[in-house]
Amino acid sequence: SFYVEEAAPIDIRDRVSHGDLGRPYEECMSRKPARLQSKFWLVTCVECLEHVFPWRVPTAITNLARTAEKWLFLTVPTNTQWDGNMEHLCIRENQWWHDKFAQFAPNLLRRLDYEDIFRRVCMPPGHSTWGWQFFVYEVRGELPDECVQATVQEYYEGERLYKRGEAVYDGVETAR
């Protein structure tokens, strides 16, 4: 966020840049200062994707997959009951998220063994489930260009519907 850019400690401020996970990568990277890296060994995305419009989720997924060099760790709410938070635009079930990652980031391999470790370490005693899920993916090569093109197409179609007032984001991906 712009706030984080301004509030970052002086010694790391030159490594912080505002971006938008749900916009096409090239658009965001064109605004990125040249001094910032484009790939990182570990990318974390904690409690972010539920704030992205559903038609922007594929773009967000490909952005994460293009930025991660070795590992992607994320958490996302998977409780299908909308919690009334107006900033939560995309609360979906676990399988929906896995299907989106499989479709738009086939270079990522889901690591259930690591997810299980996180679950055992982080789950409070007496709880068997939470309303959100850990996802751990290992990066296996570069993201195929056809995935990038598909996400860009879905992004612009979703934006077009949204501007016309036809996009729905309270449990349905898009109204067509």
Side-chain angles (χ1 to χ4, degrees):
S1 70
F2 291 117
Y3 171 77
V4 172
E5 279 183 336
E6 294 173 11
I10 296 284
D11 58 335
I12 67 163
R13 195 168 290 162
D14 66 338
R15 293 181 281 157
V16 176
S17 177
H18 173 263
D20 186 338
L21 188 61
R23 292 196 180 275
Y25 184 83
E26 285 73 17
E27 182 181 314
C28 291
M29 295 307 284
S30 67
R31 293 191 216 134
K32 177 185 78 67
R35 68 185 180 280
L36 296 179
Q37 291 175 241
S38 296
K39 282 201 170 271
F40 302 89
W41 188 81
L42 169 67
V43 171
T44 61
C45 181
V46 178
E47 306 302 308
C48 294
L49 291 175
E50 70 274 16
H51 298 278
V52 175
F53 286 119
W55 62 87
R56 289 184 174 186
V57 165
T59 302
I61 289 170
T62 60
N63 287 342
L64 292 168
R66 291 172 83 175
T67 307
E69 191 173 320
K70 180 66 178 161
W71 295 101
L72 171 60
F73 170 81
L74 57 125
T75 64
V76 70
T78 55
N79 183 347
T80 57
Q81 294 296 318
W82 186 59
D83 61 5
N85 183 333
M86 295 303 288
E87 294 178 4
H88 288 173
L89 305 172
C90 191
I91 304 291
R92 300 294 193 276
E93 63 188 23
N94 199 5
Q95 192 59 51
W96 186 89
W97 290 105
H98 291 301
D99 292 346
K100 292 293 180 190
F101 272 87
Q103 181 181 1
F104 295 105
N107 65 321
L108 300 179
L109 173 66
R110 185 169 171 218
R111 294 296 302 263
L112 295 170
D113 49 343
Y114 289 112
E115 289 178 18
D116 185 51
I117 291 168
F118 280 109
R119 214 175 278 100
R120 282 186 280 136
V121 170
C122 297
M123 195 71 70
H127 287 79
S128 58
T129 61
W130 269 0
W132 50 274
Q133 181 70 41
F134 299 101
F135 297 140
V136 180
Y137 290 97
E138 184 176 358
V139 179
R140 297 288 178 98
E142 294 297 320
L143 186 67
D145 286 338
E146 57 269 13
C147 291
V148 174
Q149 296 308 314
T151 62
V152 169
Q153 184 177 10
E154 188 157 331
Y155 170 84
Y156 285 113
E157 175 64 10
E159 293 296 296
R160 185 182 69 74
L161 290 171
Y162 180 70
K163 288 176 184 169
R164 289 176 35 188
E166 296 176 15
V168 179
Y169 53 89
D170 57 354
V172 181
E173 283 190 59
T174 54
R176 296 188 190 242

